[in-house]
């Protein structure tokens, strides 16, 4: 699934440039992705769209410039893991991930098929959340999102 999300980021400048789900599934299969991975990625993208639809109106009604302290539940710790939570905090502290997008990231990470998430996996999910909102990201943060666990740039 994560390879497909990176593929979408690399091949579609904006989320609006992506074709409909059925056409996208066919294109991904033609490129060589497995059907189970395609279904997982499309389900994750649906979850992202649904979560975004619910979270962004709340952000408009609150001042998103304030840094709220986020207390994670035991289940969130179990799914995300301390490394992913640390990375989310890093993105927040660098002003790259506003509270509304943080909540979208946490919510969409909950649908992962295993836990805890690796640092590479949370980076891909964070990249996709930012991409889905067409958020401007500092160049150094962008490089960090694309770097693998050893600091090398992936893809």
């Amino acid at each position: 699934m994560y390879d497909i999300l990176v593929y979408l980021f690399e091949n579609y400048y904006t989320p609006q440039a992506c074709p409909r789900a059925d056409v996208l599934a066919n294109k991904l299969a033609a490129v060589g992705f497995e059907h189970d991975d395609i279904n997982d990625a499309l389900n994750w993208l649906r979850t992202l769209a649904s979560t975004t639809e619910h979270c962004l109106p709340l952000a408009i009604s609150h001042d998103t410039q304030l840094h709220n302290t986020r207390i994670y539940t035991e289940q969130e710790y179990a799914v995300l893991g301390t490394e992913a939570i640390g990375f989310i905090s890093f993105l927040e502290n660098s002003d790259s991930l506003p509270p509304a997008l943080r909540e979208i990231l946490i919510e969409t990470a909950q649908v992962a098929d295993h836990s805890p998430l690796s640092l590479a996996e949370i980076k891909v999910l964070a990249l996709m959340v930012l991409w889905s909102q067409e958020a401007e990201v500092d160049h150094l943060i962008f490089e960090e999102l694309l770097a693998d666990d050893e600091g090398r740039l992936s893809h």
Side-chain angles (χ1 to χ4, degrees), residues 14-62:
T14 66
Q16 291 75 23
C18 284
R20 289 186 339 261
D22 57 335
V23 174
L24 181 59
N26 290 332
K27 286 185 177 210
L28 293 170
V31 173
F33 289 110
E34 298 291 326
H35 290 287
D36 288 343
D37 290 336
I38 293 169
N39 288 336
D40 290 346
L42 293 177
N43 286 336
W44 187 86
L45 289 168
R46 279 189 211 82
T47 300
L48 174 62
S50 174
T51 303
T52 300
E53 188 177 308
H54 295 336
C55 287
L56 286 184
L58 295 174
I60 293 169
S61 65
H62 294 86

Side-chain angles (χ1 to χ4, degrees), residues 51-84:
T51 303
T52 300
E53 188 177 308
H54 295 336
C55 287
L56 286 184
L58 295 174
I60 293 169
S61 65
H62 294 86
D63 185 7
T64 58
Q65 298 303 319
L66 295 175
H67 287 279
N68 301 325
T69 300
R70 176 63 157 80
I71 307 297
Y72 292 86
T73 66
E74 286 183 34
Q75 186 202 1
E76 289 169 339
Y77 261 107
V79 171
L80 295 171
T82 56
E83 196 171 33

Side-chain angles (χ1 to χ4, degrees), residues 116-153:
L117 295 176
S118 71
L119 181 58
E121 292 166 337
I122 199 66
K123 284 181 179 183
V124 170
L125 297 182
L127 182 66
M128 292 306 292
V129 167
L130 293 167
W131 174 77
S132 75
Q133 298 306 306
E134 299 181 35
E136 290 193 30
V137 179
D138 178 84
H139 179 71
L140 294 175
I141 299 298
F142 182 70
E143 284 184 10
E144 181 64 32
L145 288 168
L146 292 175
D148 63 15
D149 289 347
E150 285 79 40
R152 298 181 305 257
L153 290 180

Side-chain angles (χ1 to χ4, degrees), residues 87-139:
F87 190 73
I88 292 169
S89 295
F90 163 74
L91 291 175
E92 284 184 277
N93 292 333
S94 66
D95 293 326
S96 298
L97 191 67
L101 296 186
R102 174 197 64 210
E103 294 306 312
I104 292 169
L105 175 57
I106 292 167
E107 187 69 27
T108 56
Q110 299 293 313
V111 299
D113 60 353
H114 67 281
S115 59
L117 295 176
S118 71
L119 181 58
E121 292 166 337
I122 199 66
K123 284 181 179 183
V124 170
L125 297 182
L127 182 66
M128 292 306 292
V129 167
L130 293 167
W131 174 77
S132 75
Q133 298 306 306
E134 299 181 35
E136 290 193 30
V137 179
D138 178 84
H139 179 71

